[in-house]
Amino acid sequence: MLVLGLETSCDETGVALYDSEHGLLADALFSQIDLHRVYGGVVPELASRDHVKRMLPLIRQVLAEAGREATDIQAVAYTAGPGLVGALLVGASCAQALAFAWGVPAVGVHHMEGHLLAPMLEEQPPQFPFVALLVSGGHTQLVRVDGIGRYELLGESIDDAAGEAFDKTAKLMGLPYPGGPEIARLAEQGVAGRFKFPRPMTDRPGLEFSFSGLKTAALNAWQQCQQAGDLTEQTRCDIARGFQEAVVDTLTIKCQRALKQTGLCSLVIAGGVSANQALRQSLEQMLAGLKGQVFYARPRFCTDNGAMIAYAGCQRLLAGQHEGLAISVQARWPMDSLPPL
């Protein structure tokens, strides 16, 4: 089955062609970072308008790269949520219109299920069951995964997501949007131990997360340095390193607890923050001690992309799932409510 995948949940327009027999044939992505940087964050209306502008040219580009015609497409998959409603509607409307015109089925895909399954696009994909850490700007969740659609939520953030905390901390330090990669870049030059931030909720049992207090601790450190006239580039790097180490340690501790609780030894990390090299190294070291293995997607498939939507959609289409003609999206959508395959 040849599936066209469309991703428009936030500020990146992703398009991909996935073949159930031959794998990923082509993918393209347009990021709106430059559009939103001047505002310090995503402006929903501008995001929606830019998706409209980019969608059809990207579809033509992907078809050309794959050497396929529109008539070859057998189904269309699109992100139906969670995300920005206006942005989601662009992808859903385009997908349903194309599916109707071509006489093929369409299926709405859960954005986080797409992220969770992105490592399946690699040469050595994980095998079920495993524990998944979904960590991005909008989500921080630990999930037991026994199969596609067979999800058990183990714990999640009670306030800010990890990626959101990265971005907000970067903003208070005067770093450009998006802040996560900027924090990681500065942290490489930081001195370990100069700033010691708390590891939230690791001193108590459970698998819940909280990053708002950590963000406040970084703000207090920044303001104290500001009052002392010590806002050098090295100080900025040291704060970034202390903050990143706190986030990475917190995530690693909770992942270890989740593996122990479930009795599993395979961990998948997915979402934008999974591209963070310090996090990958920490989890690899932890899993090596447990004689387990950590899986993640290549960096370009960690952030939002059409390939993960095409793959996830293909699996559900092959199982007989598809949508009617109604255009429906969900800003909020619990992943454990998805039907199992």
Side-chain angles (χ1 to χ4, degrees), residues 29 48 104 179 298 317:
L29 183 74
S48 301
V104 299
R298 69 198 82 169
L317 286 158

Side-chain angles (χ1 to χ4, degrees), residues 319-341:
Q321 182 179 330
H322 60 84
E323 313 294 348
L325 295 176
I327 297 172
S328 177
V329 299
Q330 300 184 57
R332 298 181 181 276
W333 188 5
M335 196 170 68
D336 54 8
S337 68
L338 294 175
L341 299 189

Side-chain angles (χ1 to χ4, degrees), residues 155-203:
E156 61 184 340
S157 179
I158 62 175
D159 43 53
D160 292 351
E164 182 182 6
F166 264 106
D167 289 341
K168 288 181 177 178
T169 299
K171 187 174 183 178
L172 71 86
M173 294 172 61
L175 299 175
Y177 172 84
E182 293 296 321
I183 291 281
R185 179 182 63 82
L186 291 180
E188 293 179 358
Q189 307 301 321
V191 175
R194 181 183 173 191
F195 292 94
K196 184 72 172 178
F197 296 122
R199 277 56 174 165
M201 299 185 74
T202 58
D203 59 348

Side-chain angles (χ1 to χ4, degrees), residues 156 158-159 199-211 250 253-254 257:
E156 61 184 340
I158 62 175
D159 43 53
R199 277 56 174 165
M201 299 185 74
T202 58
D203 59 348
R204 67 191 76 175
L207 297 174
E208 303 298 324
F209 299 91
S210 172
F211 293 105
T250 300
I253 290 168
K254 292 303 179 84
R257 285 184 187 176

Side-chain angles (χ1 to χ4, degrees), residues 263-279:
L264 300 176
C265 58
S266 292
L267 176 71
V268 165
I269 55 171
V273 182
S274 69
N276 184 284
Q277 292 301 310
L279 176 61

Side-chain angles (χ1 to χ4, degrees), residues 3-8 12-18 24-30 51 54-65 73 76-77 79 91 94 98 102 300-301 304-310:
V3 179
L4 174 68
L6 308 180
E7 156 61 21
T8 62
E12 289 170 315
T13 312
V15 178
L17 274 177
Y18 180 84
L24 184 65
L25 302 184
D27 70 282
L29 183 74
F30 184 86
H51 286 311
R54 307 293 176 183
M55 182 60 70
L56 292 181
L58 286 176
I59 293 174
R60 296 189 187 101
Q61 176 184 332
V62 165
L63 285 169
E65 290 179 0
I73 294 174
V76 183
T79 304
C94 182
L98 292 175
W102 295 335
R300 83 172 198 249
F301 293 152
D304 297 349
N305 63 87
M308 67 183 192
I309 301 304

